[in-house]
């Protein structure tokens, strides 16, 4: 066995069908590197279990198998050897055949793993005698997983800030792992089983279908994912709570379903599960105040349920998510080397949206993730403020790896560009700007109103507070691109201060 070569010394590998898998030029990468300096508050907890950073994992000295946390290398047809790992019973290989499979990571195999562990052992582990071929990309496929059919779950639409949510049921949007309890086990959105310890599920209602999330706490999404996808039924599950918010098979309106859930969970006496309380939204001010409170605590946002609504399968307008920032999925197509304090390790992930748009994500990555980044081909979740008119995410921030969604997504439409009234993205070079339409945006916090208007090279600001005279300020920039960047900075500051945009 040979010693593993650090990833930054290996030849970069791009996704086979990626449109672009090269390191951007220095001009293109400037913004990504600058964003990394502000990533501390978004960094995911580094105190993880080896899923995030196994660069120091022991190399197996004995052929035939790998202990938990061990890795080894095997020479393939290329110049560089492939890396084989075992993390909590999940075996992986860096070869394209393993990376490009559509099955869940715990159900993948390849000829290198079979050569190492033996064909019979691998067949018993993954349940198939041959590594599955890459799935065809069919948009309406119901079978989205090699291990089973996706459970029939309800999904939300983003709030368009037009629908009046007064009277709707409001709850915190949990930043966890969606888990469908079928009465005996947990299933992911794709139908893959989560291997919860027996003591974790002992008190859950049997033969009752529940919908909820495996939650590790606020700002601990990646930690929760790394625990939920383990196959060794680890005691790390004590960090998780199953938070239940619906009973899909209970044929009744939402209010009756929620009451049914409350009674079930309180009767169970489970130490590892609870129901999620909801409250009536009294109006826009109540919604804004609760959103600000949840986000101040480190929460992701709010979920809004239409009163009297039934449980529907797929995306429904009766369920809305309200957040200051949006999130979406993208596929990693290349690793961009870092500079400055990130020299010698990952600087940013080059990602691709389902519609082919390519962008870099440099914010939100922990030190462990920069040392051992998600492999090329991995589907990740990122958070962003809005899309430019060209459909490129603005201010993207890494959230974590998604093992429970298919690629390309079949239940989520591609993000649409920002509406015409919104500002355009600042181009990389000011010389490309020929004209700029007048753009006005308005934000509120309580009774305070703050608006910003962009007109060519001029940025006009108006601040209004009850009981005082409105304050107008005009700022001038050398060119439209600089004015857009100035407006971006001012808007970002207001959002951090708790302001919420009003959309006409």
């Amino acid at each position: 066995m040979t010693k593993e070569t650090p990833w930054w010394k290996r030849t970069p590998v791009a996704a086979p069908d990626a449109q672009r898998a090269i390191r951007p030029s220095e001009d293109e990468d400037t913004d990504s590197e600058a964003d990394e300096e502000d990533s501390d508050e978004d960094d995911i907890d580094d105190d993880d279990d080896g899923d995030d950073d196994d660069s120091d994992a022991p190399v197996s000295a004995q052929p035939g198998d790998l202990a938990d946390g061990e890795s080894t290398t095997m020479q393939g047809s290329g110049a560089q050897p492939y890396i084989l790992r075992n993390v909590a019973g999940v075996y992986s290989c860096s070869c394209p055949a393993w990376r490009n499979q559509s099955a869940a990571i715990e159900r993948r195999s390849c000829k290198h793993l079979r050569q190492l562990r033996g064909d019979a052992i691998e067949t018993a582990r993954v349940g198939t005698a041959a590594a599955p071929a890459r799935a065809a990309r069919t948009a309406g496929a119901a079978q989205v997983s090699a291990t089973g059919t996706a459970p029939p779950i309800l999904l939300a639409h983003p709030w368009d800030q037009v629908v009046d949510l007064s009277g709707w049921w409001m709850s915190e949007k949990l930043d966890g792992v969606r888990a469908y309890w079928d009465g005996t086990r947990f299933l992911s959105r794709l139908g893959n089983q989560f291997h919860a310890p027996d003591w974790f599920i002992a008190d859950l209602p049997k033969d009752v279908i529940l919908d909820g999330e495996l939650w590790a706490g606020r700002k601990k999404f990646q930690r929760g994912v790394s625990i939920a996808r383990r196959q060794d039924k680890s005691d790390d599950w004590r960090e998780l709570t199953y938070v239940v918010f619906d009973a899909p098979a209970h044929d009744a309106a939402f209010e009756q379903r929620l009451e049914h859930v409350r009674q079930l969970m309180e009767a169970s006496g489970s130490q590892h599960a609870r129901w999620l309380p909801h409250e009536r939204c009294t109006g826009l001010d109540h919604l804004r105040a609760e959103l600000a409170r949840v986000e101040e605590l480190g929460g992701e946002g709010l979920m809004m349920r239409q009163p009297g609504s039934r449980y529907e399968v797929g995306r429904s307008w009766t369920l809305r998510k309200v957040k200051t920032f949006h999130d979406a999925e993208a596929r990693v197509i290349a690793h961009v080397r870092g500079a400055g304090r990130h020299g010698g390790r990952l600087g940013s992930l080059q990602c691709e949206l389902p519609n082919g748009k390519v962008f870099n994500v440099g914010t939100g990555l922990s030190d462990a993730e920069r040392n051992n980044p998600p492999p090329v081909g991995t589907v990740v979740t990122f958070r962003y403020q809005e899309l430019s008119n060209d459909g490129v995410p603005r201010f993207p921030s890494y959230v974590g790896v998604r093992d429970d969604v298919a690629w390309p997504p079949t239940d989520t439409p591609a993000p649409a560009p920002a509406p015409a009234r919104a500002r355009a993205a600042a181009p990389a070079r000011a010389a490309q700007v020929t004209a700029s339409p007048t753009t006005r945006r308005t934000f509120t916090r309580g009774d305070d109103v703050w608006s910003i208007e962009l007109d060519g090279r001029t940025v006009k600001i108006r601040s209004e507070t009850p009981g005082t005279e409105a304050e107008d300020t005009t700022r001038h920039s050398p060119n439209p691109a600089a004015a857009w960047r100035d407006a971006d900075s001012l808007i970002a500051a207001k959002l951090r201060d708790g302001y919420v945009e009003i959309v006409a």
Side-chain angles (χ1 to χ4, degrees):
M1 301 295 179
T2 59
K3 186 176 180 180
E4 180 179 327
T5 304
W7 73 269
W8 60 84
K9 293 183 180 179
R10 301 197 297 267
T11 303
V13 180
D17 58 347
Q19 293 185 359
R20 180 186 182 197
I22 59 173
R23 187 192 191 283
S25 67
E26 294 300 320
D27 288 340
E28 290 175 297
D29 202 40
T30 301
D31 290 339
S32 296
E33 292 298 317
D35 285 345
E36 292 161 20
E37 300 298 324
D38 299 324
S39 65
D40 292 343
E41 66 179 332
D42 293 322
D43 278 357
I44 297 171
D45 186 3
D46 292 349
D47 183 18
D48 218 325
D49 57 54
D51 258 353
D52 292 332
D53 186 1
D54 55 4
S55 57
D56 296 324
V59 176
S60 175
Q62 298 294 330
D65 207 348
L66 299 171
D68 187 6
E70 285 187 333
S71 64
T72 187
T73 58
M74 182 176 293
Q75 188 64 48
S77 57
Q80 297 292 338
Y82 296 125
I83 303 166
L84 289 69
R85 292 190 177 95
N86 172 17
V87 178
V90 177
Y91 288 81
S92 65
C93 180
S94 62
C95 72
W98 188 93
R99 293 198 322 270
N100 293 333
Q101 292 174 36
S102 61
I105 57 172
E106 69 271 12
R107 305 286 296 182
R108 300 182 191 182
S109 187
C110 67
K111 65 180 181 181
H112 308 106
L113 286 171
R114 292 180 180 277
Q115 181 178 338
L116 175 71
R117 306 189 69 230
D119 191 69
I121 294 176
E122 276 296 275
T123 298
R125 182 178 69 86
V126 301
T128 179
R134 187 169 186 170
R137 296 186 174 185
T138 54
Q143 298 283 346
V144 292
S145 169
T147 62
T149 303
I153 60 175
L154 171 65
L155 299 172
H157 280 290
W159 181 44
D160 56 8
Q161 301 191 45
V162 174
V163 175
D164 183 4
L165 298 180
S166 299
W168 287 46
W169 292 99
M170 181 167 59
S171 66
E172 179 176 348
K173 186 180 189 305
L174 302 177
D175 199 6
V177 181
R178 189 73 173 268
Y180 183 91
W181 173 253
D182 70 355
T184 59
R185 57 180 181 163
F186 290 122
L187 297 176
S188 74
R189 284 177 56 178
L190 294 185
N192 300 311
Q193 182 177 353
F194 293 123
H195 298 276
D198 293 340
W199 52 261
F200 190 93
I201 64 175
D203 295 325
L204 287 178
K206 302 298 186 289
D207 301 321
V208 175
I209 296 176
L210 300 173
D211 191 2
E213 297 215 4
L214 295 168
W215 193 52
R218 299 183 182 103
K219 293 189 175 182
K220 294 184 178 180
F221 170 75
Q222 193 60 43
R223 176 60 174 165
V225 170
S226 66
I227 295 172
R229 72 182 184 182
R230 293 178 71 100
Q231 291 189 303
D232 57 354
K233 300 187 176 184
S234 164
D235 271 356
D236 289 346
W237 275 75
R238 297 189 185 279
E239 299 178 36
L240 300 182
T241 300
Y242 184 47
V243 185
V244 185
F245 43 69
D246 215 327
H250 191 65
D251 187 16
F254 173 68
E255 292 82 355
Q256 286 71 50
R257 297 200 309 274
L258 186 62
E259 175 61 18
H260 181 61
V261 166
R262 183 190 68 80
Q263 293 177 3
L264 284 173
M265 300 315 298
E266 291 183 353
S268 73
S270 174
Q271 300 297 309
H272 309 290
R274 63 176 176 85
W275 71 290
L276 181 64
H278 290 60
E279 64 173 318
R280 287 272 192 181
C281 176
T282 60
L284 186 57
D285 288 343
H286 186 197
L287 176 70
R288 290 173 177 164
E290 182 63 10
L291 179 62
R293 184 189 71 83
V294 168
E295 292 184 336
E296 179 68 23
L297 293 173
E300 187 178 1
L302 301 176
M303 297 299 294
M304 309 297 294
R305 297 272 192 144
Q306 187 178 52
S309 58
R310 298 281 174 159
Y311 194 96
E312 301 177 24
V313 178
R315 295 205 177 271
S316 170
W317 297 108
T318 66
L319 179 63
R320 303 295 185 101
K321 51 187 175 182
V322 180
K323 298 185 293 183
T324 300
F325 282 76
H326 309 286
D327 56 28
E329 278 70 52
R331 185 179 60 154
V332 178
I333 60 173
H335 294 153
V336 180
R337 291 183 174 87
R341 70 187 179 98
H342 296 311
R345 59 179 182 173
L346 182 76
S348 61
L349 297 171
Q350 189 172 88
C351 299
E352 178 188 39
L353 293 173
N355 61 11
K357 294 289 183 181
V358 175
F359 63 102
N360 285 6
V361 180
T363 301
L365 293 154
S366 68
D367 287 340
E369 288 157 342
R370 291 186 187 279
N371 291 332
N372 187 31
V376 170
T378 301
V379 178
V380 299
T381 294
F382 67 96
R383 194 161 289 145
Y384 64 100
Q385 183 176 341
E386 66 175 8
L387 295 177
S388 71
N389 285 347
D390 293 329
V392 177
R394 299 182 62 79
F395 309 114
S397 176
Y398 176 80
V399 174
V401 173
R402 289 298 299 267
D403 294 323
D404 61 339
V405 296
W407 186 265
T410 58
D411 61 357
T412 305
R421 62 157 193 84
R423 66 194 185 285
R429 296 171 179 81
Q432 295 175 332
V433 180
T434 58
S436 174
T438 300
T439 302
R440 183 182 181 89
R441 302 176 67 182
T442 303
F443 301 77
T444 65
R445 184 183 64 184
D447 294 329
D448 295 341
V449 179
W450 183 83
S451 60
I452 183 169
E453 182 176 325
L454 184 61
D455 187 4
R457 297 183 294 108
T458 302
V459 176
K460 300 177 182 179
I461 303 164
R462 185 177 182 86
S463 300
E464 301 175 68
T465 301
T468 63
E469 187 175 349
E471 179 181 347
D472 294 307
T473 305
T474 301
R475 299 160 67 102
H476 299 282
S477 299
N479 53 62
W484 285 338
R485 288 192 293 268
D486 186 30
D488 280 342
S489 177
L490 293 170
I491 290 171
K494 287 298 178 184
L495 292 174
R496 287 195 298 268
D497 289 341
Y499 281 76
V500 178
E501 183 170 10
I502 297 176
V503 178

